[in-house]
Each structure stands twice: as C-alpha cells, then as structure tokens.
Amino acid sequence: MTRLSRLLVGTAALLLALLYVLPLWHVRLVAPQYPEGLGMHIHIASVQGATETDLNNINNLNHYIGMQRIETDAIPELKIMPWLVGALVAGGLLVAVVGRRRPLFAWQGGFLLLGVAGLVDFWRWEYDYGHNLDLEEAIIKIPGMSYQPPLLGSKQLLNFTATSWPASGGIAAGVAFALGVAAVVLAVRARRAERTPFLPAPAAPAAPTADSRLARTA
C-alpha cells in the first residue's frame, strides 16, 4: 500500500467512528395537521424523535392505523450495530497501520457487505412495519392499504408525505466508503506498477570514428 492509501483508510475509519454520535438515517412526516413535520432519527443503537415529543406523536398516530410502536428495544439490530461499526473502525485503523493490500481488500469487502446487508435489513424492517398491521386495534381501516415508508426519497401515505434520507452519520459513512474505494484503486495501481518490468531505453548508436570511416572507404 502507498502512504496515501494508508492515510485514506485511516481517515475512513475515523469517519465511521462518528456514527457513535451522529444519526445514521432520518425519516420525516409532514401533513396539514403537522405543517412543521414530525421527525425520527435512527442511530446505530437507538431510535429518537427529532424533538422530545416527535417519536411519541408518531407512535400515537400509528396506533390509529394498526402499526407497531417504534421502540429501540424492539429492534434487535440496534444491539448489534455498535459492535459491527466498532469492528469496522478497528479493522480500518489496523489496515492503515499494517499497510498490506490483502487486509485492505478484505476490509473494504466487509464494509461493502455490511452496508448492503444494512440497507436490505432496513428495507425489510420498513416492509414489516408498514404491512404487518393490527387491524383489530386499528381505528382507521382501509382495505389493501399499506404504510411502508420509503427507503430513499418521498412517498405519500394517506395525508402524510414521508421522506427518508441519510442523516449526517449516513453521509459520513458514504464518504468513508468512497475513501476506502480510492485506497483500493491506488493499491491496485501500485501493485501493477511493481509487476511491470523496467525496460531500459535502447542506447544511441555510437558516432563513427575516423578509423571506421577509413575502413569503409578502403
């Protein structure tokens, strides 16, 4: 690995450490009765309202349509994610110190797999959250209606507009992944340069001497 590759990996690992203090994802609901909106921040170990009352208000609204309450203790992934992020941070710092290509490739591959698995699991949670309704307790019942929030972007759910985007921690994780990709590219290029044999330039022909000129005319 080049010095720049090691610096990029170390920076990526430190960016991932920000997930312990910054929200990973943000979901927002806006409706005529809530023009200021209701927000929900998803951290790696908890789910919190954008304000002290937002999460409780969202849960109260969900009760009317039979949706499950959103509670940190009911989401087992939030107990695992801090350990996974910690492993990525420690692994990235170790790769930066060791400076070997194979550990770099393994770390970046693990980062990619965890990121994809996290997004798939988040979508699955949203699907279950929006489709697995308690219709016996629901006050508002609309046949065939589901309330799955969007993974990315906006979606209309009854009179609410739901939006879902990466929060500051999610953006930091995206930048960290991009830095890891850049480190891999630099490491691959450096490896190819090491394997390319050095071919010296052909020597210029020697200038003819006086004896050689006489020999030609003889």
Side-chain angles (χ1 to χ4, degrees):
M1 289 176 58
T2 64
R3 180 177 299 179
L4 180 56
S5 293
R6 298 169 70 175
L7 177 61
L8 291 175
V9 174
T11 304
L14 294 177
L15 283 174
L16 288 174
L18 294 177
L19 293 177
Y20 287 98
V21 294
L22 299 178
L24 182 63
W25 218 264
H26 177 70
V27 179
R28 181 175 174 83
L29 301 172
V30 178
Q33 64 270 42
Y34 292 99
E36 72 283 0
L38 298 173
M40 182 175 67
H41 295 308
I42 301 175
H43 294 252
I44 62 171
S46 65
V47 179
Q48 303 173 8
T51 68
E52 293 183 1
T53 59
D54 276 6
L55 186 57
N56 186 58
N57 288 336
I58 291 173
N59 281 327
N60 290 337
L61 290 170
N62 290 344
H63 174 72
Y64 286 101
I65 53 179
M67 297 179 73
Q68 308 167 49
R69 289 185 63 83
I70 302 174
E71 297 175 338
T72 296
D73 294 338
I75 306 174
E77 291 86 348
L78 297 179
K79 299 178 182 179
I80 303 173
M81 285 184 64
W83 295 97
L84 296 177
V85 172
L88 278 178
V89 172
L93 293 175
L94 182 62
V95 168
V97 171
V98 173
R100 302 291 296 274
R101 283 187 289 263
R102 288 186 179 180
L104 168 64
F105 299 156
W107 181 80
Q108 188 66 19
F111 193 172
L112 175 61
L113 290 176
L114 286 176
V116 172
L119 289 174
V120 170
D121 186 73
F122 184 34
W123 181 90
R124 182 199 60 79
W125 176 80
E126 287 186 320
Y127 181 90
D128 179 71
Y129 177 69
H131 288 80
N132 187 16
L133 307 176
D134 186 356
L135 297 179
E136 294 183 1
E137 296 292 332
I139 299 174
I140 301 175
K141 303 177 184 180
I142 303 177
M145 182 68 184
S146 63
Y147 304 95
Q148 180 181 358
L151 180 65
L152 282 171
S154 300
K155 184 178 181 180
Q156 194 69 29
L157 301 172
L158 296 181
N159 63 328
F160 281 87
T161 300
T163 58
S164 175
W165 295 105
S168 53
I171 294 173
V175 173
F177 184 81
L179 293 178
V181 171
V184 169
V185 171
L186 290 175
V188 171
R189 288 181 177 177
R191 185 179 184 182
R192 290 177 178 175
E194 291 173 359
R195 290 183 172 183
T196 302
F198 175 75
L199 298 177
T209 62
D211 292 339
S212 62
R213 288 195 294 268
L214 290 174
R216 290 177 191 173
T217 57

